[in-house]
Amino acid sequence: ELPGSETLLWRNGARVVCSSGPLLSPAECDACVALAEARASSLGGWTTSRHYAVPTTDLPVHESDALLGWFTRAFRGRIAPWLEAHMHLPVG
């Protein structure tokens, strides 16, 4: 079951919607981290030059079949349904 949400209003009137609980389990997060670390290891390290304006240390998810599969399942199974239900976005 997906968590509920809490809506906050900022001073400028912007609406911020936060989940009232985790969308993914600790085991699901651990699996994602393990996939990312394995991918980084196979590449000789994390990427650090993909974003000129805002430097980051990351990995392009779309370049790893395992990471992309994990993300697609998480997005379709948990993230998109939550966004549709609580932010009223037509994601699917």
Side-chain angles (χ1 to χ4, degrees), residues 11-75:
R11 285 180 285 220
N12 65 1
R15 182 174 65 108
V16 177
V17 179
C18 304
S19 68
S20 59
L23 290 172
L24 302 169
S25 72
E28 290 168 313
C29 294
D30 289 345
C32 179
V33 170
L35 291 171
E37 289 177 344
R39 177 65 175 166
S41 178
S42 75
L43 296 173
W46 294 79
T47 62
T48 57
S49 60
R50 291 189 329 118
H51 308 286
Y52 174 77
V54 184
T56 62
T57 299
D58 61 11
L59 289 170
V61 171
H62 68 280
E63 292 180 6
S64 165
D65 291 341
L67 278 171
L68 184 57
W70 180 93
F71 176 79
T72 300
R73 287 186 301 278
F75 187 79

Side-chain angles (χ1 to χ4, degrees), residues 1-7 17-25 28 74 77-87:
E1 180 163 320
L2 294 173
S5 67
E6 178 181 348
T7 301
V17 179
C18 304
S19 68
S20 59
L23 290 172
L24 302 169
S25 72
E28 290 168 313
R78 303 274 181 80
I79 299 167
W82 188 89
L83 290 171
E84 288 174 336
H86 298 281
M87 297 191 72

